[in-house]
Amino acid sequence: MLRLTLVCSGITEGMKRGIFPAPDDSVLEPHSIALADALRTSMKRGAKGLRGTDPRARITAELLGVSVKSHAALDDRDFGAWAGLGLADIEKTRPAALAAWITSTDFAPKDGESLQTVANRSSQFLSEMEKRTGHVIAITHATVIRCAVLHVLNAPLSSFWQIDCPPLSVTDLRQDGRRWALRAHAVDKLA
């Protein structure tokens, strides 16, 4: 039996204002830091796990006090040429591209990843996790978590935008050797 706890990383001030994250964004906004501090007390002491390779995942793991190894499958979506740009700017200068980003699972900004690519990466990660037992905590990003939930529910990728995954939210998945299950739990059951 595997328990996989997915924790959504904190966000930056730019992300809060609708700016696509850059790979080197490393300063979390104050609310994310406060949420991590509150969640830290619920995390299992000395818990071990995995995290994305980027600074936001690393810093979130440090704030949570979780000992982790980096794992590229947990990296956020690569926004390519859009990294560091605001959603409003792209809407003004490339409205058709923005519409494609929201409606097509195969669209990717120049030098970036499509949603389908992230979904494939997330599915491969879950397949790899099926070989494990015990409890694994993974610090990752909203895009990866949403894709993992869709995989577990066997739901179409087109449902991606119907899942809300705020910073420092916790998603609990279970694998019993036969199937994955999404598990809801009370706040006092996080550890």
Side-chain angles (χ1 to χ4, degrees):
M1 174 87 170
L2 170 70
R3 176 181 177 189
L4 178 60
T5 301
L6 301 172
V7 179
C8 189
S9 73
I11 62 171
T12 65
E13 284 292 339
M15 291 171 70
K16 198 172 178 179
R17 293 191 317 270
I19 296 174
F20 287 96
D24 60 349
D25 283 349
S26 62
V27 179
L28 300 184
E29 54 94 21
H31 187 63
S32 288
I33 294 170
L35 289 170
D37 188 50
L39 183 58
R40 181 185 182 113
T41 60
S42 299
M43 299 302 286
K44 192 174 188 179
R45 291 237 183 259
K48 295 194 185 311
L50 303 167
R51 67 165 171 82
T53 63
D54 60 282
R56 285 182 291 124
R58 178 185 50 77
I59 292 167
T60 301
E62 289 170 1
L63 290 170
L64 293 173
V66 178
S67 173
V68 292
K69 292 181 181 178
S70 61
H71 195 301
L74 297 171
D75 285 350
D76 200 358
R77 183 177 185 176
D78 184 344
F79 293 102
W82 290 9
L85 299 178
L87 192 59
D89 295 328
I90 293 170
E91 185 175 30
K92 286 179 193 171
T93 60
R94 294 165 242 169
L98 184 60
W101 179 69
I102 293 169
T103 59
S104 171
T105 60
D106 293 318
F107 175 84
K110 184 177 188 297
D111 299 324
E113 286 183 295
S114 70
L115 187 55
Q116 185 64 61
T117 300
V118 178
N120 293 345
R121 180 165 36 98
S122 179
S123 293
Q124 289 172 333
F125 174 74
L126 290 176
S127 292
E128 179 185 324
M129 290 296 102
E130 289 175 3
K131 299 173 183 110
R132 294 191 180 205
T133 59
H135 185 193
V136 176
I137 296 173
I139 314 315
T140 186
H141 305 281
T143 302
V144 175
I145 294 170
R146 292 156 112 183
C147 288
V149 167
L150 292 172
H151 176 86
V152 166
L153 298 176
N154 198 26
L157 192 52
S158 59
S159 299
F160 177 85
W161 296 105
Q162 277 72 48
I163 299 172
D164 190 19
C165 189
L168 281 295
S169 60
V170 175
T171 303
D172 200 30
L173 305 177
R174 304 292 171 108
Q175 169 56 245
D176 65 5
R178 297 180 325 264
R179 67 179 180 91
W180 280 100
L182 175 64
R183 185 166 206 178
H185 49 79
V187 173
D188 64 341
K189 302 293 184 194
L190 292 177

